[in-house]
Structures are given as structure tokens and as C-alpha cells.
Amino acid sequence: MTETLFLSDDDVAGLADPADYVDAVRDAYRQRGEGAPAKPRTKLLNESPPGMFTAYAAVLPETGAMGGYMYSAGFADADAWFVTPLFDADTGEPLAIVDGARMNPFKTGATGAVGVDALAREDASTLAVIGSGAQARGQLRATATVRDFEEVRVFSPTEANREAFAAEMDDDLAISVEAVSSSTAAVEGADVVVTATNASEPVFDSADLADGTHVTAMGQYHPEKHELDAETIERAVYVPDLRDRVTQDAGSFIHALEEGVVTEDHVHAELGDVVAGNAPGRVAADDVTVFDSGGTGIETAAAAYMLYERASERGLGTDIEFAPASEALTGE
């Protein structure tokens, strides 16, 4: 038998701040750029009752961990459940099972922030956020750790939501956060734009996007949904989290392909290649850059391992036992 740590939601709460997640995720993408294995998500749909089961994973050799998400969503009450198994990359033993919902906006926000750090101009000072939900909150908190923003403008279609988001973030961050009445008002003149929505169609017009802007798009991973228009993809130095998912579920890129404005050669490099220094990111100050973030096991395994280490140091969690196959796989 081997002891495995179960980390409940209460165990995970408060273990790390946004900057900690960013550091862990940045190092994980460096490992990916140096050859760490990772594959895009597998999404299985159940017709009756309607629902979705999704999984993705990665191996982080230097961290010594491997794992990822398995989650369900859309069944019955339309809630979602996130289970994060984590294994030792040296022995293969199960290290932990993490109740993974709480870390989701933080690890996803950290991934967006790593994209901003790798691709945005160093002097970026104005941030536009399209969206006002949990993921937008995670993106803003993490992105604010990698650039010294002086102004944040947020837009979402529901006025009460964007006003509440702006008030909360203005109180929490040492940055002026303002709710604006349109995506154009948010995007015009912004140095960095983050889209974190459930929209099926573009959430801003490429014409509103100034030369030199960086865009992180993280709200959609569906081949028929695209937060960004084809013109933005065409203009951009385009960097996905994983190259293999570009024609699988990167809806904005797929739409640009279908419009005929780009080919698959338009993919500049994976984020890990840029972070590891194997490929350049931004070359010129007036480059438009796009980081297309669909969610991978890279950031999930990195964040889960960080939480596992911190919980172990603090004596948090509950030990459970797993039987190795050498003992239990007997057919008896």
C-alpha cells in the first residue's frame, strides 16, 4: 500500500497567492519548451442526460510530477466537478488527489499572465478585460503581477456585473479599475487585452486593436466558437499553449483558417518554446501578439504539485491508501 494525500477544498483555500501560481506555471511551460510531454484535452459528450466529461494531463520531469484534470460539467443541476490526480514522475506512485475547482481560476489566470509576460511590451500600462466572471477575476489578479498596470478597463454585457467586478478589483488591487460601456471603450488604446467570456462570436473588432497590443484569449476551446475575429488572428504573432490543439478546438484560429486569411504555418510557436527561449516572442514594438489559452495539463499539474507541497509542509490533507498493481492485480 502507498499513502496518497487527499486535499479538500478547505485544505487548498489560501495556500498560494496569484504570484505563486505564476511562478509555478512559468516553470512548467519552460519544461514544456524543453520537451515535457503534454496533450490537448479529450472531451466526451453524453447525450442523455446532456453533459460533458473532459480530461487532460502532462508530465513535468524536473518538478517530478505528472497529472492533470478530470472533470464533469452540464449534468442534471449543471454544476461542475474537478478532480485532480497527481503522480510522482520518478516512481509513478499516486501523490495526491486534489479537489481542483478552487485552483482553476488561479492556474488559468497564471497561464494567461505567463503569456503576457512572454509576449506583451515591457512598458504595457493599460489593460482591457472583456468578461467579469471568475475566470476574468483570475486573469486580472495574475496578470497584475507581471506588469505595472496603471489603468484597467473592464467590459461585460451586463452593467451590474461589470460595475461589481470593477469595484471589487479596484479595492483589491493597487490599480484603477473602471467599468466601461462597450468593448470598444475597453480595447481602444489598451496595451494588453484579456478575453475571458463564454461568447460564440468575436467580442471586439480588430480595427479597435492598436498596433503593439498583446491579446490573451482564454474563454473558449470549441471549434465553432471564437472570441477573436479572423483579422486579429491574421495580424498577430500567434502563440497557442499547445500546437496540437490549434486545429482541434482553438475556435478563433479555426475560424481564421476557414476564412482563408491564415494557414497552419501561421502558428508562430508554442508558449513553452517562447518561455524556454527556443523561439522569439515579440520582435518589434508594433507587433500584435496573441496567446490562445485553452487549458492544458501543464498548468494544472504545476499548480496541483505546488499546492501538494505546501499542504504537506503544513500538515494539511487526509491520507488515503492505494494498492499497487503488484499486490492487487491478481485476478483472484
Side-chain angles (χ1 to χ4, degrees):
M1 296 286 184
T2 185
E3 288 191 345
T4 300
L5 195 64
F6 172 67
L7 297 179
S8 70
D9 180 61
D10 286 342
D11 294 326
V12 168
L15 276 180
D17 61 29
D20 298 323
Y21 281 93
V22 171
D23 288 343
V25 171
R26 181 188 291 110
D27 184 68
Y29 271 94
R30 176 193 58 78
Q31 291 181 57
R32 168 61 184 172
E34 294 173 355
K39 290 292 184 181
R41 75 182 66 235
T42 298
K43 182 165 69 173
L44 305 177
L45 300 178
N46 195 61
E47 292 186 4
S48 180
M52 175 186 73
F53 183 68
T54 294
Y56 50 72
V59 179
L60 304 176
E62 290 183 36
T63 301
M66 51 192 180
Y69 261 156
M70 301 182 78
Y71 65 91
S72 63
F75 291 88
D77 60 1
D79 213 327
W81 305 90
F82 291 79
V83 178
T84 311
L86 189 68
F87 295 80
D88 189 309
D90 295 320
T91 67
E93 295 178 354
L95 293 174
I97 297 175
V98 182
D99 185 342
R102 184 174 297 271
M103 78 172 184
N104 186 284
F106 293 100
K107 63 92 179 174
T108 307
T111 309
V114 171
V116 170
D117 202 27
L119 298 168
R121 300 194 321 270
E122 292 290 340
D123 63 353
S125 62
T126 303
L127 171 64
V129 179
I130 312 297
S132 58
Q135 295 294 352
R137 190 175 290 112
Q139 292 291 323
L140 175 52
R141 291 185 189 280
T143 300
T145 72
V146 300
R147 289 293 185 276
D148 293 324
F149 293 107
E150 299 172 0
E151 178 186 3
V152 178
R153 301 191 293 261
V154 59
F155 170 74
S156 66
T158 303
E159 181 177 3
N161 290 348
R162 64 183 184 249
E163 293 285 353
F165 179 93
E168 177 190 352
M169 293 294 100
D170 191 84
D171 285 343
D172 287 355
L173 303 173
I175 308 170
S176 172
V177 183
E178 175 190 7
V180 296
S181 60
S182 68
S183 63
T184 296
V187 169
E188 281 187 334
D191 302 311
V192 175
V193 176
V194 173
T195 60
T197 77
N198 59 6
S200 298
E201 299 293 330
V203 295
F204 67 83
D205 192 314
S206 180
D208 296 330
L209 198 67
D211 288 343
T213 304
H214 169 73
V215 179
T216 287
M218 59 72 53
Q220 290 296 354
Y221 46 89
H222 190 290
E224 297 176 5
K225 297 181 179 182
H226 53 288
E227 288 181 309
L228 307 184
D229 58 21
E231 292 78 12
T232 296
I233 300 297
E234 182 182 16
R235 290 173 65 186
V237 177
Y238 177 83
V239 176
D241 43 17
L242 287 176
R243 186 182 292 266
D244 286 350
R245 64 164 283 268
V246 168
T247 56
Q248 173 179 305
D249 61 16
S252 295
F253 192 88
I254 292 169
H255 177 69
L257 278 175
E258 292 172 347
E259 290 291 304
V261 299
V262 299
T263 68
E264 291 185 36
D265 290 339
H266 190 66
V267 177
H268 173 69
E270 284 190 6
L271 178 62
D273 290 321
V274 178
V275 173
N278 298 329
R282 172 180 299 277
V283 175
D286 62 354
D287 283 344
V288 170
T289 54
V290 165
F291 171 49
D292 192 332
S293 175
T296 78
I298 301 166
E299 60 265 23
T300 307
Y305 186 76
M306 177 190 65
L307 295 174
Y308 162 74
E309 282 198 313
R310 292 186 175 213
S312 298
E313 290 168 359
R314 301 180 190 186
L316 298 173
T318 303
D319 287 329
I320 58 177
E321 289 188 342
F322 272 86
S326 59
E327 295 178 8
L329 204 159
T330 65
E332 297 178 352

